[in-house]
Amino acid sequence: MTTTTFTDSTAPDLEAGFKEAMAHMCAPVSVITTMVGERPHGTTVSALMSLSVDPLLIAVSMATTSESLSAIKSAGEFGVNVLGADQRHVAVRFATKGGDKFAGMPWRRQGALPRLDGSAIWLSCRLDSILPGGDHEIFVGAVTEVETDTAAEPLTYHGRQFGTHLAHRGG
């Protein structure tokens, strides 16, 4: 085991240490989608969490420079496509900037939102609120629809690599 400690007196090292620590947190990989007019928008995120059961809320974090964040603010709603283990290529495609990320990608409209085929979990959300978060913004979504493929293994991101969750066997 390697342990490295940084403090705010070593600011450049603290930032590098923080980035390394965050890379070692396992996170689900999701594509957040929305529609503005007839144009779908989407981006890959790993900063997603359940926030509340009463009311049903989730929180997602995106860079303030994200085109998709601007689209979500404009549309007032968004979809959460938690990717399945076999959707690494989808995560990579939607992590890029610019271009038509939906070209050649299997998707359909679910209500007014773009839904990616094969996602392990689908959530439809109404934009509830937006909070500042440094160079990111945290937006809260009120969940309006849920669908889960319980047989699908989730795509995860850990140590700067894609993978999936493996449950412990036994006790």
PDB file of all heavy atoms in Angstrom, residues 34-39 41 66-78 113 127 130 137 139:
ATOM      1  N   THR A  34     -30.191  15.596 -23.086  1.00  0.00           N
ATOM      2  CA  THR A  34     -31.324  16.513 -23.146  1.00  0.00           C
ATOM      3  C   THR A  34     -31.575  16.872 -24.605  1.00  0.00           C
ATOM      4  O   THR A  34     -30.763  16.543 -25.476  1.00  0.00           O
ATOM      5  CB  THR A  34     -31.084  17.773 -22.280  1.00  0.00           C
ATOM      6  OG1 THR A  34     -32.325  18.438 -22.058  1.00  0.00           O
ATOM      7  CG2 THR A  34     -30.075  18.717 -22.909  1.00  0.00           C
ATOM      8  N   MET A  35     -32.682  17.515 -24.857  1.00  0.00           N
ATOM      9  CA  MET A  35     -33.025  17.991 -26.200  1.00  0.00           C
ATOM     10  C   MET A  35     -33.251  19.492 -26.144  1.00  0.00           C
ATOM     11  O   MET A  35     -33.899  19.995 -25.223  1.00  0.00           O
ATOM     12  CB  MET A  35     -34.314  17.349 -26.708  1.00  0.00           C
ATOM     13  CG  MET A  35     -34.241  15.876 -27.001  1.00  0.00           C
ATOM     14  SD  MET A  35     -33.303  15.446 -28.469  1.00  0.00           S
ATOM     15  CE  MET A  35     -34.451  15.837 -29.762  1.00  0.00           C
ATOM     16  N   VAL A  36     -32.715  20.185 -27.128  1.00  0.00           N
ATOM     17  CA  VAL A  36     -33.029  21.590 -27.337  1.00  0.00           C
ATOM     18  C   VAL A  36     -33.561  21.669 -28.748  1.00  0.00           C
ATOM     19  O   VAL A  36     -32.816  21.423 -29.711  1.00  0.00           O
ATOM     20  CB  VAL A  36     -31.801  22.500 -27.126  1.00  0.00           C
ATOM     21  CG1 VAL A  36     -32.155  23.944 -27.454  1.00  0.00           C
ATOM     22  CG2 VAL A  36     -31.274  22.394 -25.706  1.00  0.00           C
ATOM     23  N   GLY A  37     -34.837  21.934 -28.872  1.00  0.00           N
ATOM     24  CA  GLY A  37     -35.489  21.860 -30.179  1.00  0.00           C
ATOM     25  C   GLY A  37     -35.456  20.419 -30.649  1.00  0.00           C
ATOM     26  O   GLY A  37     -35.876  19.514 -29.933  1.00  0.00           O
ATOM     27  N   GLU A  38     -34.907  20.190 -31.816  1.00  0.00           N
ATOM     28  CA  GLU A  38     -34.779  18.828 -32.352  1.00  0.00           C
ATOM     29  C   GLU A  38     -33.365  18.283 -32.218  1.00  0.00           C
ATOM     30  O   GLU A  38     -33.056  17.222 -32.744  1.00  0.00           O
ATOM     31  CB  GLU A  38     -35.204  18.807 -33.831  1.00  0.00           C
ATOM     32  CG  GLU A  38     -36.688  19.041 -34.031  1.00  0.00           C
ATOM     33  CD  GLU A  38     -37.539  17.975 -33.344  1.00  0.00           C
ATOM     34  OE1 GLU A  38     -37.262  16.779 -33.533  1.00  0.00           O
ATOM     35  OE2 GLU A  38     -38.473  18.355 -32.604  1.00  0.00           O
ATOM     36  N   ARG A  39     -32.485  19.017 -31.520  1.00  0.00           N
ATOM     37  CA  ARG A  39     -31.082  18.595 -31.406  1.00  0.00           C
ATOM     38  C   ARG A  39     -30.809  17.936 -30.062  1.00  0.00           C
ATOM     39  O   ARG A  39     -30.982  18.559 -29.008  1.00  0.00           O
ATOM     40  CB  ARG A  39     -30.155  19.781 -31.587  1.00  0.00           C
ATOM     41  CG  ARG A  39     -28.698  19.344 -31.502  1.00  0.00           C
ATOM     42  CD  ARG A  39     -27.738  20.430 -31.875  1.00  0.00           C
ATOM     43  NE  ARG A  39     -26.396  19.917 -31.687  1.00  0.00           N
ATOM     44  CZ  ARG A  39     -25.460  20.535 -31.004  1.00  0.00           C
ATOM     45  NH1 ARG A  39     -25.689  21.697 -30.462  1.00  0.00           N
ATOM     46  NH2 ARG A  39     -24.264  19.990 -30.879  1.00  0.00           N
ATOM     47  N   HIS A  41     -28.441  16.524 -27.068  1.00  0.00           N
ATOM     48  CA  HIS A  41     -27.161  16.858 -26.446  1.00  0.00           C
ATOM     49  C   HIS A  41     -26.855  15.786 -25.409  1.00  0.00           C
ATOM     50  O   HIS A  41     -27.767  15.230 -24.797  1.00  0.00           O
ATOM     51  CB  HIS A  41     -27.235  18.214 -25.732  1.00  0.00           C
ATOM     52  CG  HIS A  41     -27.462  19.369 -26.633  1.00  0.00           C
ATOM     53  ND1 HIS A  41     -26.440  20.137 -27.103  1.00  0.00           N
ATOM     54  CD2 HIS A  41     -28.605  19.872 -27.161  1.00  0.00           C
ATOM     55  CE1 HIS A  41     -26.936  21.084 -27.889  1.00  0.00           C
ATOM     56  NE2 HIS A  41     -28.254  20.935 -27.932  1.00  0.00           N
ATOM     57  N   SER A  66     -19.384  23.177 -19.984  1.00  0.00           N
ATOM     58  CA  SER A  66     -20.046  22.114 -20.735  1.00  0.00           C
ATOM     59  C   SER A  66     -21.199  22.632 -21.592  1.00  0.00           C
ATOM     60  O   SER A  66     -22.109  23.298 -21.091  1.00  0.00           O
ATOM     61  CB  SER A  66     -20.577  21.050 -19.765  1.00  0.00           C
ATOM     62  OG  SER A  66     -21.399  20.131 -20.455  1.00  0.00           O
ATOM     63  N   GLU A  67     -21.159  22.303 -22.862  1.00  0.00           N
ATOM     64  CA  GLU A  67     -22.250  22.642 -23.775  1.00  0.00           C
ATOM     65  C   GLU A  67     -23.539  21.948 -23.321  1.00  0.00           C
ATOM     66  O   GLU A  67     -24.628  22.511 -23.404  1.00  0.00           O
ATOM     67  CB  GLU A  67     -21.900  22.208 -25.199  1.00  0.00           C
ATOM     68  CG  GLU A  67     -22.959  22.538 -26.212  1.00  0.00           C
ATOM     69  CD  GLU A  67     -22.602  22.049 -27.616  1.00  0.00           C
ATOM     70  OE1 GLU A  67     -21.445  22.219 -28.022  1.00  0.00           O
ATOM     71  OE2 GLU A  67     -23.504  21.514 -28.281  1.00  0.00           O
ATOM     72  N   SER A  68     -23.413  20.725 -22.823  1.00  0.00           N
ATOM     73  CA  SER A  68     -24.586  19.983 -22.361  1.00  0.00           C
ATOM     74  C   SER A  68     -25.226  20.641 -21.145  1.00  0.00           C
ATOM     75  O   SER A  68     -26.451  20.633 -21.002  1.00  0.00           O
ATOM     76  CB  SER A  68     -24.225  18.531 -22.048  1.00  0.00           C
ATOM     77  OG  SER A  68     -23.903  17.848 -23.234  1.00  0.00           O
ATOM     78  N   LEU A  69     -24.409  21.218 -20.260  1.00  0.00           N
ATOM     79  CA  LEU A  69     -24.962  21.919 -19.098  1.00  0.00           C
ATOM     80  C   LEU A  69     -25.813  23.092 -19.563  1.00  0.00           C
ATOM     81  O   LEU A  69     -26.927  23.292 -19.063  1.00  0.00           O
ATOM     82  CB  LEU A  69     -23.849  22.385 -18.162  1.00  0.00           C
ATOM     83  CG  LEU A  69     -24.300  23.180 -16.934  1.00  0.00           C
ATOM     84  CD1 LEU A  69     -25.247  22.381 -16.052  1.00  0.00           C
ATOM     85  CD2 LEU A  69     -23.085  23.629 -16.128  1.00  0.00           C
ATOM     86  N   SER A  70     -25.318  23.854 -20.520  1.00  0.00           N
ATOM     87  CA  SER A  70     -26.097  24.974 -21.065  1.00  0.00           C
ATOM     88  C   SER A  70     -27.396  24.473 -21.681  1.00  0.00           C
ATOM     89  O   SER A  70     -28.450  25.100 -21.510  1.00  0.00           O
ATOM     90  CB  SER A  70     -25.285  25.727 -22.124  1.00  0.00           C
ATOM     91  OG  SER A  70     -24.162  26.337 -21.544  1.00  0.00           O
ATOM     92  N   ALA A  71     -27.332  23.341 -22.377  1.00  0.00           N
ATOM     93  CA  ALA A  71     -28.528  22.775 -23.006  1.00  0.00           C
ATOM     94  C   ALA A  71     -29.541  22.343 -21.948  1.00  0.00           C
ATOM     95  O   ALA A  71     -30.749  22.549 -22.108  1.00  0.00           O
ATOM     96  CB  ALA A  71     -28.146  21.606 -23.908  1.00  0.00           C
ATOM     97  N   ILE A  72     -29.068  21.742 -20.860  1.00  0.00           N
ATOM     98  CA  ILE A  72     -29.967  21.314 -19.776  1.00  0.00           C
ATOM     99  C   ILE A  72     -30.652  22.522 -19.143  1.00  0.00           C
ATOM    100  O   ILE A  72     -31.854  22.501 -18.873  1.00  0.00           O
ATOM    101  CB  ILE A  72     -29.199  20.483 -18.730  1.00  0.00           C
ATOM    102  CG1 ILE A  72     -28.844  19.121 -19.323  1.00  0.00           C
ATOM    103  CG2 ILE A  72     -29.998  20.332 -17.435  1.00  0.00           C
ATOM    104  CD1 ILE A  72     -27.818  18.347 -18.529  1.00  0.00           C
ATOM    105  N   LYS A  73     -29.896  23.584 -18.931  1.00  0.00           N
ATOM    106  CA  LYS A  73     -30.494  24.807 -18.369  1.00  0.00           C
ATOM    107  C   LYS A  73     -31.589  25.333 -19.293  1.00  0.00           C
ATOM    108  O   LYS A  73     -32.638  25.770 -18.828  1.00  0.00           O
ATOM    109  CB  LYS A  73     -29.415  25.871 -18.163  1.00  0.00           C
ATOM    110  CG  LYS A  73     -28.471  25.575 -17.024  1.00  0.00           C
ATOM    111  CD  LYS A  73     -27.410  26.670 -16.960  1.00  0.00           C
ATOM    112  CE  LYS A  73     -26.443  26.466 -15.839  1.00  0.00           C
ATOM    113  NZ  LYS A  73     -25.412  27.527 -15.789  1.00  0.00           N
ATOM    114  N   SER A  74     -31.338  25.275 -20.590  1.00  0.00           N
ATOM    115  CA  SER A  74     -32.306  25.750 -21.570  1.00  0.00           C
ATOM    116  C   SER A  74     -33.544  24.856 -21.625  1.00  0.00           C
ATOM    117  O   SER A  74     -34.676  25.345 -21.642  1.00  0.00           O
ATOM    118  CB  SER A  74     -31.642  25.814 -22.950  1.00  0.00           C
ATOM    119  OG  SER A  74     -32.578  26.148 -23.939  1.00  0.00           O
ATOM    120  N   ALA A  75     -33.334  23.543 -21.612  1.00  0.00           N
ATOM    121  CA  ALA A  75     -34.439  22.587 -21.745  1.00  0.00           C
ATOM    122  C   ALA A  75     -35.240  22.423 -20.452  1.00  0.00           C
ATOM    123  O   ALA A  75     -36.435  22.133 -20.486  1.00  0.00           O
ATOM    124  CB  ALA A  75     -33.905  21.230 -22.194  1.00  0.00           C
ATOM    125  N   GLY A  76     -34.559  22.535 -19.312  1.00  0.00           N
ATOM    126  CA  GLY A  76     -35.238  22.367 -18.030  1.00  0.00           C
ATOM    127  C   GLY A  76     -35.497  20.919 -17.649  1.00  0.00           C
ATOM    128  O   GLY A  76     -36.192  20.647 -16.669  1.00  0.00           O
ATOM    129  N   GLU A  77     -34.949  19.989 -18.401  1.00  0.00           N
ATOM    130  CA  GLU A  77     -35.084  18.564 -18.086  1.00  0.00           C
ATOM    131  C   GLU A  77     -33.909  17.807 -18.680  1.00  0.00           C
ATOM    132  O   GLU A  77     -33.239  18.290 -19.587  1.00  0.00           O
ATOM    133  CB  GLU A  77     -36.411  18.003 -18.601  1.00  0.00           C
ATOM    134  CG  GLU A  77     -36.587  18.105 -20.096  1.00  0.00           C
ATOM    135  CD  GLU A  77     -37.962  17.642 -20.558  1.00  0.00           C
ATOM    136  OE1 GLU A  77     -38.634  16.899 -19.826  1.00  0.00           O
ATOM    137  OE2 GLU A  77     -38.367  18.031 -21.666  1.00  0.00           O
ATOM    138  N   PHE A  78     -33.675  16.592 -18.138  1.00  0.00           N
ATOM    139  CA  PHE A  78     -32.552  15.795 -18.627  1.00  0.00           C
ATOM    140  C   PHE A  78     -32.802  14.321 -18.331  1.00  0.00           C
ATOM    141  O   PHE A  78     -33.595  13.959 -17.477  1.00  0.00           O
ATOM    142  CB  PHE A  78     -31.224  16.251 -18.012  1.00  0.00           C
ATOM    143  CG  PHE A  78     -31.160  16.156 -16.509  1.00  0.00           C
ATOM    144  CD1 PHE A  78     -30.624  15.035 -15.890  1.00  0.00           C
ATOM    145  CD2 PHE A  78     -31.626  17.192 -15.713  1.00  0.00           C
ATOM    146  CE1 PHE A  78     -30.559  14.946 -14.509  1.00  0.00           C
ATOM    147  CE2 PHE A  78     -31.562  17.118 -14.328  1.00  0.00           C
ATOM    148  CZ  PHE A  78     -31.027  15.997 -13.726  1.00  0.00           C
ATOM    149  N   LEU A 113     -37.010  13.318 -24.132  1.00  0.00           N
ATOM    150  CA  LEU A 113     -35.567  13.196 -23.884  1.00  0.00           C
ATOM    151  C   LEU A 113     -34.908  12.100 -24.704  1.00  0.00           C
ATOM    152  O   LEU A 113     -35.513  11.064 -24.971  1.00  0.00           O
ATOM    153  CB  LEU A 113     -35.332  12.919 -22.389  1.00  0.00           C
ATOM    154  CG  LEU A 113     -35.763  14.041 -21.453  1.00  0.00           C
ATOM    155  CD1 LEU A 113     -35.739  13.566 -20.012  1.00  0.00           C
ATOM    156  CD2 LEU A 113     -34.871  15.259 -21.647  1.00  0.00           C
ATOM    157  N   LEU A 127     -35.295  19.576 -14.121  1.00  0.00           N
ATOM    158  CA  LEU A 127     -34.276  20.374 -13.441  1.00  0.00           C
ATOM    159  C   LEU A 127     -34.910  21.091 -12.256  1.00  0.00           C
ATOM    160  O   LEU A 127     -35.868  21.843 -12.409  1.00  0.00           O
ATOM    161  CB  LEU A 127     -33.661  21.384 -14.417  1.00  0.00           C
ATOM    162  CG  LEU A 127     -32.511  22.225 -13.892  1.00  0.00           C
ATOM    163  CD1 LEU A 127     -31.348  21.353 -13.425  1.00  0.00           C
ATOM    164  CD2 LEU A 127     -32.056  23.209 -14.956  1.00  0.00           C
ATOM    165  N   ILE A 130     -29.842  24.506  -9.292  1.00  0.00           N
ATOM    166  CA  ILE A 130     -28.430  24.478  -9.684  1.00  0.00           C
ATOM    167  C   ILE A 130     -27.627  25.160  -8.580  1.00  0.00           C
ATOM    168  O   ILE A 130     -27.995  26.237  -8.105  1.00  0.00           O
ATOM    169  CB  ILE A 130     -28.197  25.188 -11.027  1.00  0.00           C
ATOM    170  CG1 ILE A 130     -29.016  24.516 -12.130  1.00  0.00           C
ATOM    171  CG2 ILE A 130     -26.714  25.185 -11.377  1.00  0.00           C
ATOM    172  CD1 ILE A 130     -28.976  25.232 -13.459  1.00  0.00           C
ATOM    173  N   GLU A 137     -20.782  22.960 -11.899  1.00  0.00           N
ATOM    174  CA  GLU A 137     -22.064  23.291 -11.308  1.00  0.00           C
ATOM    175  C   GLU A 137     -22.735  21.978 -10.954  1.00  0.00           C
ATOM    176  O   GLU A 137     -22.579  20.972 -11.651  1.00  0.00           O
ATOM    177  CB  GLU A 137     -22.940  24.110 -12.264  1.00  0.00           C
ATOM    178  CG  GLU A 137     -22.423  25.522 -12.429  1.00  0.00           C
ATOM    179  CD  GLU A 137     -23.350  26.408 -13.233  1.00  0.00           C
ATOM    180  OE1 GLU A 137     -24.405  25.944 -13.702  1.00  0.00           O
ATOM    181  OE2 GLU A 137     -22.999  27.583 -13.398  1.00  0.00           O
ATOM    182  N   PHE A 139     -26.212  20.221 -10.488  1.00  0.00           N
ATOM    183  CA  PHE A 139     -27.630  20.411 -10.729  1.00  0.00           C
ATOM    184  C   PHE A 139     -28.409  19.262 -10.129  1.00  0.00           C
ATOM    185  O   PHE A 139     -27.987  18.123 -10.120  1.00  0.00           O
ATOM    186  CB  PHE A 139     -27.957  20.673 -12.197  1.00  0.00           C
ATOM    187  CG  PHE A 139     -27.504  19.650 -13.180  1.00  0.00           C
ATOM    188  CD1 PHE A 139     -28.372  18.675 -13.647  1.00  0.00           C
ATOM    189  CD2 PHE A 139     -26.210  19.680 -13.683  1.00  0.00           C
ATOM    190  CE1 PHE A 139     -27.959  17.746 -14.567  1.00  0.00           C
ATOM    191  CE2 PHE A 139     -25.798  18.757 -14.613  1.00  0.00           C
ATOM    192  CZ  PHE A 139     -26.675  17.781 -15.053  1.00  0.00           C
TER     193      PHE A 139
END
